[in-house]
Amino acid sequence: MSRVLALVSAASLLAAPLQSQDSLVARERRRADSLLSTWREAQRLADVADSLERARATAGSDTIAVGGLRIIVNPSSLPLREAAERAWPVIDSLYGSAAEDLPRYPYIFRAVDPDSGVRRAVLHVGVELPWDLDLRATSMVLLTTVTPPDFDPALADWLGAALRPALRPQDERAAVFVQLVTAPSEAVRACFLGDIARCQGVLQIGDSTGSLERLYATPAEREALVTGPFGDYFARGATALTLQNCRQHRVDACTALLRSLPPGSLPRPLAPAARMLLVRVALHAGGRDAYRRLVARPSATIGERLSSAAGMDIDSLVARWRNDALAARPKPLTLSWWASFAAIGWTAFFGFCALRSSRWRL
Amino acid sequence: MIAMFRAVLYTQWKWSRLIVVLGTVAAFAIPLLSLQGAARPDRGALQTQELLGAVQSWGALYPLLATALGLLMAIAAWAADHRGRHIHALTLPIERWRYVLLRFGAGVVLLAAPIAAVFIGSSLAVLTATLPPGLQSYSIALAVRFAFAVFVAYAVFFAVSAGTARTAGIILGLIAAVILVQVVANIANIDLNVFGAAQTVLLLGPGPLAVFTGRWMLIDV
Amino acid sequence: MASLKRWVLVGLTACSVLALAYLPPRGARSSGKSIFAVQSLQATPARRHAQVLADEWRNADAGVRLLEDRQRLKRDSLPASPTIVFRGPTLPPNVVRNVETVMDSVWRGLGLAETKVRVTLVIELQRPNGSAKSPTPLQDRVAYLAPDSAHRTTCMAYLPAGPYWTSFILGKLEARYEGFAVARFAQWLQASVGPCAFYAAYGTPGRPVQSWLAARNWDVGLYLGSNGIAGGRFSSLTLLGDPRFRWFWDGVYSFPPATVACLAGRPSGCRAAVLAGTTEEWTIPIPNVVLVERRWWRAQHLLPGERYLGDIARTVGRDRFLSFWTSALPVDTALAAALKRPVGEWTADWQRGFVAPIRLGPAPPLGGVAIALAIAVFAIGIVTATASRRQIR
Amino acid sequence: MRIILVLLAVSGIPRALTGQRWERQVQERVQRTIAAVGTSPGLPVVRRSGMLNTDEAASFQTTLAQHTPYAIIAVCDDDCSRLQLTLLTSSGSEIAKERNSESLPTLHFTATTTAVYGIRVVMEACRWNPCWYAIAVVPLRKIPS
């Protein structure tokens, strides 16, 4: 009898911790599984709720169709039709034949009272617009919120912005010219002076390896980059010492710091406007199907996509981009006629005030 | 002497009553405005942050008001004497230094009204507001600081304005010269930061103008 | 005199009108209007509910994974250093060895050798995103499985490596050639051991301390090292920036009043900030999973709270810290006994070691006031002196 | 009886060989104490070991044979300064308690009848949690009457 009891007690003692661990894991696993199934159910419900919201948002709304544009909006005094008639040719000229796909991406607007104090239903779908926008502002909204058809993330990452119609094409070109002249990068300067290969490097349309060497070739540029925009970032923690070395013109230290940046965070010497202009040039050269060709193969490199869109080899495309940018040199400062008149007027006014001064009267 | 002071006080009141009354109303208004919305009982942490942000923003007006009051009162104190080329003042049967002190004293007495208005306004605003837990009001400290700022501004501008036009011209010229030097240094890319040095010496830490700078928080932790 | 009364009356009337206009009940009702004319897009309540559930699942899933890893643990590693387990792609042996070598040096750097509570680091190399079947697993928060009644001598730390450290560990980062990248990796490991470092160094805390730390999610025990959590002097305070700028104060006021008061060097505020979480008896769950906030530096009661307990341990020495750590007395009594000073005073001094006390309220610097008054008096003196020499020409 | 011995061997000795420093420490101490008190041939020494945080308790049951004097001893590691040892009946009422011997409490007991008894150990003071402990129920040689 006593042996059996001892056996039972010893066995139970040995088994206890293992059992408790197993049961704990099993219990937690069950909890996680039940949470997961609840989440799946909630997800399904959320999908239904979203679709209902979409239906609710578009119910009782007018649908305005101009060309490929579809605008769903509640009845209001917004001049959306006229705005769409203005915007459509610009959008159509950018996306070409792909603009026919735009009905797949309708605008959903909710015209609202511009008085911010008025209580409104929470917005779950679409965009709110104050109903007092004028025709120009409304057309701007359409141009700046149009969804580029089949615009893939790879292209978006490289471009740094969505591809939409340019509001001021001449200004965009002029901005690129200024960048080519002023960007603190030898590679950009070489591009400006006509080195097309360097242009491709700074536009990052080739392979992405050794980007640091291609974008910031000289030690001075790297030091300026590290001590300038990244000065604060590197001044703390383990990089502080290396930063000091970099400040003392140690090239290896500056390079090391820049290499330690997370992938993709190395600043590009040319702003998105430059790449945007390159795409516009390609689309302009490639005709109405250019955009379709541009978005046809998201897996291809940017260079291949651009040259297939433009229907020409990448070198000539980049050369054309450079010529466009150089042709858009900003106008030198000119004095407008009214400014000179204003200057003379003010001079006369203050002169008159001076003559009226009591000090002249005896 | 009392009668003399009363006479100076009265004349100075006549010259500067508009400044005093407007300054008093402004001094009363700023604390009320800075605590707008503080009476809502449903303030969470974020609202507390908003409230303190608003108090901090409105706080910038106190030193401005103090400076403006000091400047205008100082100008008003001497304007008449300058106009009369000090003949009246010099003919009075009183030592000139006493006369200066009477003028200064009269200005200080008149400036007591806006200082009191800051105290009353801030006390009223605080009493009628529901402050989030953890925050407290600093009405007295605010009024005392305002008094210091007004006194210092008045004294400095009183001294400048008591001088001749030539003195004022020299002071303004010096300031203009410093600005010019800084601008030229910036253009020529010379590593010279006169403004920074002046800021460090005058405004930061225990600088002579530190009483005007910093945060004038009526409500704080 | 009549004119004086009239002007005084005008002033009083203006003030009364202002008071009527702006004081409650009329003035202070804020309408809560948005300053923007249009509102931005919001998720539907159903979608938000799904997101909350996804978050709960992430936390539960992280706990389960830690428990499963703990069961699978092999005890063949050296007793004097933490075990390292990698999740994700299989790594070549030399990579694992490199990481273990760095971890050993980190462990020695923390002054740790063989410990009663062993630490296991589960380094999660970057995982794929979620699908329709499950949400994205926890990837951006560090989680700890504290020793509990089921397993008393293991503390598990779950470290999602993220894209940067994953590429570093896999040797795909250009910076792998750079010495300091290794140093930063060591810092990352040291900072990531978190509460497990305290369990290893000082064992399981007594119930009051455990409950206190659980109530505040270990915000004062996230870092045992003596440097800043990101090396050098870097701490959560550094993120506040420069007091001359407006955003510094926005940052300061985003913390609880006690924390702000402590930043101003007030012992009462420091005491309240330290003892936050001691009022209620916090039940320790089983399993005891500690999930560190994504932005932990925004959820602190002390700045830089992450090193508070580490600094106390270094200051008072191991024996006194252990007496506090395992004490059955209330936290304030035990801590004051270990510090041999009132908690508020010691903490205020500790706080001053990192940042000069911020100035709250409108009080100006005394020195400034004194100098300003001296200048004012001096100016008046000059005027009185020059006035005596005034002449009419 | 052989089966019990096997189980006890599994529970105790191999873990002592592979465990941490503190676990080895208590195993060695209990071994030395058993040797010091001396055991009765033929009857097994029941041993338990484990770890406890301050103020935690652990208990187990074992069978004590009638008319056999037993020494029930408990040891703990260097970080433990006070251990409480209690002998209980199977129904849980206390028979004997030892709390004054700091880290080496010992109970002497001779059962009138063979029965299951409970043994409880309480970790009263451990400066570095958890503290390891080990208990041995040692049958002593019967004193000839």
Side-chain angles (χ1 to χ4, degrees), chain A residues 77-92:
Chain A
S77 58
L78 271 173
L80 276 164
R81 179 169 294 281
E82 300 76 0
E85 281 160 0
R86 273 190 179 193
W88 169 246
V90 186
I91 293 171
D92 182 61

Side-chain angles (χ1 to χ4, degrees), chain C residues 36-370:
Chain C
F36 301 107
V38 295
Q39 56 178 325
S40 54
L41 215 58
Q42 288 182 32
T44 55
R47 181 65 61 197
R48 286 203 296 274
H49 175 61
Q51 286 160 353
V52 170
L53 281 170
D55 221 27
E56 277 182 40
W57 176 83
R58 272 185 206 99
N59 301 348
D61 176 67
V64 171
R65 286 165 166 278
L66 281 169
L67 284 167
E68 288 171 344
D69 287 330
R70 190 171 68 179
Q71 273 190 319
R72 272 191 243 107
L73 271 186
K74 290 200 256 26
R75 275 271 165 252
D76 54 0
S77 64
L78 292 170
S81 65
T83 313
I84 297 176
V85 177
F86 287 97
R87 280 210 215 123
T90 320
L91 296 175
N94 64 319
V95 171
V96 178
R97 234 185 347 269
N98 292 344
V99 176
E100 281 174 348
T101 316
V102 176
M103 191 60 221
D104 286 344
S105 63
V106 166
W107 201 244
R108 282 193 302 277
L110 288 171
L112 299 170
E114 186 180 5
T115 56
K116 279 188 163 177
V117 173
R118 303 274 299 277
V119 175
T120 298
L121 296 180
V122 181
I123 299 177
E124 172 100 56
L125 303 175
Q126 204 177 13
R127 287 169 65 176
N129 287 343
S131 63
K133 287 190 165 48
S134 73
T136 310
L138 194 73
Q139 282 191 347
D140 52 355
R141 291 173 74 180
V142 186
Y144 302 96
L145 176 62
D148 53 35
S149 55
H151 202 295
R152 292 173 168 280
T153 56
T154 307
C155 182
M156 311 270 295
Y158 165 78
L159 321 181
Y164 182 74
W165 290 121
T166 301
S167 350
F168 176 78
I169 291 166
L170 296 173
K172 289 181 182 165
L173 197 68
E174 287 184 43
R176 70 189 184 277
Y177 300 113
E178 313 303 337
F180 73 84
V182 178
R184 291 177 75 187
F185 181 61
Q187 268 169 16
W188 176 68
L189 286 176
Q190 192 185 48
S192 308
V193 184
C196 280
F198 284 88
Y199 273 100
Y202 305 107
T204 307
R207 191 154 296 281
V209 171
Q210 207 169 7
S211 153
W212 170 60
L213 290 170
R216 49 195 301 156
N217 204 29
W218 280 81
D219 70 323
V220 287
L222 289 176
Y223 181 64
L224 181 61
S226 52
N227 295 329
I229 193 160
R233 293 277 297 160
F234 187 92
S235 74
S236 52
L237 254 175
T238 320
L239 296 166
L240 279 179
D242 191 326
R244 284 175 305 169
F245 300 117
R246 174 63 185 264
W247 56 78
F248 172 85
W249 292 101
D250 292 342
V252 165
Y253 288 133
S254 67
F255 289 100
T259 313
V260 179
C262 190
L263 281 172
R266 296 180 191 165
S268 57
C270 291
R271 186 174 193 284
V274 170
L275 299 180
T278 51
T279 46
E280 73 276 19
E281 177 63 24
W282 197 273
T283 48
I284 312 299
I286 296 175
N288 181 6
V289 177
V290 180
L291 270 161
V292 176
E293 297 292 329
R294 276 182 192 83
R295 298 166 73 224
W296 55 265
W297 55 90
R298 310 287 305 126
Q300 290 183 305
H301 287 80
L302 267 177
L303 294 169
E306 72 272 10
R307 56 177 302 158
Y308 182 67
L309 281 181
D311 286 345
I312 290 181
R314 274 183 292 277
T315 310
V316 303
R318 181 176 174 79
D319 288 345
R320 267 159 65 191
F321 187 78
L322 273 172
S323 67
F324 150 73
W325 190 247
T326 55
S327 171
L329 296 168
V331 171
D332 54 347
T333 319
L335 191 52
L339 295 169
K340 291 187 173 169
R341 275 182 75 188
V343 174
E345 285 178 16
W346 188 91
T347 310
D349 287 349
W350 169 82
Q351 181 83 89
R352 278 190 210 96
F354 297 98
V355 62
I358 57 172
R359 189 173 288 278
L360 296 176
L366 280 177
V369 174

Side-chain angles (χ1 to χ4, degrees), chain A residues 21-22 27-29 32 35 39-40 47 50 53 116 120-124 126 128 236-238 256 259-260, chain C residues 34 36-37 39 41-44 47 50 54 56-57 64 71 133 151 164 174 178 184 187 230 234 238 286-287:
Chain A
Q21 280 240 53
D22 287 343
R27 197 185 71 216
E28 289 301 304
R29 169 53 65 198
L35 268 170
W39 172 78
R40 286 191 187 123
D47 294 342
D50 289 356
E53 271 303 325
S116 62
R120 295 195 290 272
V122 182
L123 182 74
H124 294 307
E128 281 190 340
R236 303 189 177 105
R259 283 208 174 121
S260 76
Chain C
S34 158
F36 301 107
Q39 56 178 325
L41 215 58
Q42 288 182 32
T44 55
R47 181 65 61 197
E56 277 182 40
W57 176 83
V64 171
Q71 273 190 319
K133 287 190 165 48
H151 202 295
Y164 182 74
E174 287 184 43
E178 313 303 337
R184 291 177 75 187
Q187 268 169 16
F234 187 92
T238 320
I286 296 175

Side-chain angles (χ1 to χ4, degrees), chain B residues 133-152:
Chain B
L135 299 191
Q136 52 184 317
S137 67
Y138 293 89
S139 313
I140 298 171
L142 184 71
V144 170
R145 183 173 190 176
F146 186 74
F148 278 134
V150 166
F151 175 76
V152 171

Side-chain angles (χ1 to χ4, degrees), chain D residues 2-23:
Chain D
R2 210 172 294 115
I3 300 166
I4 301 173
L5 286 173
V6 169
L7 282 170
L8 293 175
V10 171
S11 72
I13 293 112
R15 288 176 63 199
L17 296 175
T18 60
Q20 292 175 303
R21 168 153 59 96
W22 298 270
E23 186 177 3

Side-chain angles (χ1 to χ4, degrees), chain A residues 90-270:
Chain A
V90 186
I91 293 171
D92 182 61
S93 68
L94 177 68
Y95 300 130
S97 59
E100 293 156 14
D101 304 342
L102 283 174
R104 284 195 280 130
Y105 312 97
Y107 296 91
I108 300 176
F109 290 129
R110 186 202 284 180
V112 296
D113 192 322
D115 176 4
S116 62
V118 176
R119 293 246 171 259
R120 295 195 290 272
V122 182
L123 182 74
H124 294 307
V125 178
V127 178
E128 281 190 340
L129 288 183
W131 52 247
D132 60 350
L133 288 184
D134 62 7
L135 179 59
R136 190 172 171 287
T138 317
S139 330
M140 285 292 176
V141 170
L142 294 180
L143 290 173
T144 50
T145 58
V146 64
T147 311
D150 307 312
F151 196 62
D152 55 283
L155 186 57
D157 288 349
W158 173 74
L159 203 50
L163 178 59
R164 295 204 171 95
L167 303 179
R168 295 184 195 76
Q170 189 52 34
D171 293 358
E172 191 178 78
R173 288 198 185 85
V176 177
F177 178 90
V178 173
Q179 283 180 40
L180 284 174
V181 176
T182 59
S185 156
E186 276 301 319
V188 175
R189 175 57 53 84
C191 169
F192 175 68
L193 295 174
D195 184 339
I196 298 300
R198 301 295 285 278
C199 291
Q200 292 185 27
V202 291
L203 286 165
Q204 295 177 296
I205 49 181
D207 63 333
S208 61
T209 54
S211 52
L212 177 61
E213 289 74 5
R214 276 191 288 108
L215 298 183
Y216 300 97
T218 66
E221 291 167 31
R222 295 181 195 179
E223 184 179 330
L225 191 62
V226 169
T227 54
F230 288 99
D232 278 350
Y233 176 75
F234 288 127
R236 303 189 177 105
T239 53
L241 186 63
T242 325
L243 177 65
Q244 281 176 13
N245 295 336
C246 177
R247 286 189 200 280
Q248 291 154 3
H249 317 302
R250 292 263 311 276
V251 189
D252 54 344
C254 303
T255 313
L257 286 170
L258 290 173
R259 283 208 174 121
S260 76
L261 288 170
S265 59
L266 192 67
R268 300 160 162 180
L270 287 180

